[in-house]
Amino acid sequence: MTKNSFGNQTILMRAYHGTSLTNVDSIVQKGFIPSTGENQWMGEGVYFFREDLEQAKVWAYHEKSRLLKRKQYTKARKYKGCVFEWKSEFPEENFLNLDTREGAIYYHQHLSEYQEMIESEGLEIEGNWWYHNSLCYEGIDDKYKAIQRTFSVPSKYDEHDTMIFNTLMFLPIKKGKDTKEIEVPNIETHLLNGCQIVVRDSDLIQQGQLDWLAC
């Protein structure tokens, strides 16, 4: 058996970005424009859903829903969405996965250092939670060109899906020598809002790695 060492691994990425069909030409010719501002929950960058085409479609169509709520029916009827698929691979050292224990430990330490810096310098940073959260993410080491985190709480996008809750059916369990079946209750689970990737360095996204689909 060959002994393999940890480190120097490659991340294989397959992710989706939902947007308007009117943005296709600009993205194809000039690339993505990173999202900026204090409302970006993992800081500034280009956002994707990892391995979740359907969730990207929901975001692509959210603009149509917004137009309808504003009673801009003409624009809503003409609106069409699309999804970009991004397939790539890059060094693991450039990827921070906050869905793992290792990633969570790193972020906890980073957050503690950030809070200590604010207190030691006596800084009073104005703004809402989103702004403070964005500042914290912006302070993460630049070597992490992409960050992953699952958005695990309900959001306004849930209204697009009628299958928000589902039930996981567990088979009866037999324990040890006892052949008696143990009843396991059904567990109600919430539809997560997707495993998101924010690409902090847009140069990581090469045109040859992109395909787009009208939806």
Side-chain angles (χ1 to χ4, degrees):
M1 180 180 293
T2 303
K3 182 179 179 180
N4 294 319
S5 61
F6 289 103
N8 299 320
Q9 302 296 314
T10 299
I11 296 296
L12 301 178
M13 184 63 64
R14 185 173 184 176
Y16 300 91
H17 177 91
T19 186
S20 167
L21 191 61
T22 58
N23 294 329
V24 170
D25 288 340
S26 175
I27 293 173
V28 170
Q29 294 174 13
K30 303 177 183 178
F32 287 98
I33 298 176
S35 297
T36 60
E38 63 184 45
N39 291 327
Q40 311 309 318
W41 80 295
M42 288 195 292
E44 298 183 350
V46 183
Y47 281 78
F48 292 85
F49 285 103
R50 188 171 187 180
E51 299 175 3
D52 199 340
L53 173 61
E54 293 303 318
Q55 192 70 306
K57 286 181 180 180
V58 169
W59 280 57
Y61 277 125
H62 178 68
E63 176 66 14
K64 183 172 185 176
S65 176
R66 188 179 69 84
L67 291 172
L68 288 171
K69 287 182 179 179
R70 291 184 174 184
K71 297 183 179 180
Q72 295 177 294
Y73 302 112
T74 301
K75 289 185 178 180
R77 281 196 297 270
K78 295 179 179 179
Y79 178 86
K80 291 183 179 179
C82 82
V83 171
F84 276 88
E85 180 184 57
W86 175 46
K87 290 183 287 188
S88 178
E89 59 180 76
F90 49 89
E92 186 179 43
E93 63 184 7
N94 298 135
F95 182 63
L96 176 60
N97 187 350
L98 296 180
D99 289 333
T100 64
R101 182 178 295 274
E102 181 181 10
I105 290 173
Y106 169 85
Y107 185 76
H108 175 74
Q109 181 179 355
H110 168 70
L111 180 60
S112 297
E113 293 174 352
Y114 173 74
Q115 292 173 330
E116 288 176 5
M117 181 271 292
I118 292 177
E119 293 175 1
S120 64
E121 297 187 13
L123 300 177
E124 293 185 7
I125 301 177
E126 298 181 357
N128 57 21
W129 177 89
W130 284 101
Y131 180 62
H132 283 264
N133 183 70
S134 180
L135 284 180
C136 189
Y137 272 94
E138 290 301 315
I140 290 177
D141 196 322
D142 289 340
K143 76 173 184 179
Y144 294 116
K145 300 182 182 298
I147 302 175
Q148 172 179 315
R149 190 177 179 190
T150 297
F151 197 98
S152 57
V153 298
S155 81
K156 59 187 177 183
Y157 297 104
D158 286 346
E159 66 190 33
H160 293 269
D161 198 328
T162 58
M163 299 286 290
I164 299 303
F165 293 96
N166 71 306
T167 302
L168 297 179
M169 304 296 292
F170 285 88
L171 296 175
I173 297 176
K174 294 182 180 180
K175 187 175 182 181
K177 296 181 180 180
D178 187 357
T179 58
K180 182 180 179 181
E181 293 182 345
I182 302 174
E183 292 185 2
V184 180
N186 294 331
I187 299 177
E188 191 176 64
T189 59
H190 188 273
L191 172 68
L192 299 182
N193 286 290
C195 175
Q196 286 195 294
I197 303 289
V198 58
V199 181
R200 307 168 82 200
D201 183 357
S202 56
D203 289 338
L204 201 64
I205 309 169
Q206 302 296 319
Q207 289 295 336
Q209 302 167 341
L210 291 174
D211 291 308
W212 68 273
L213 305 169
C215 59

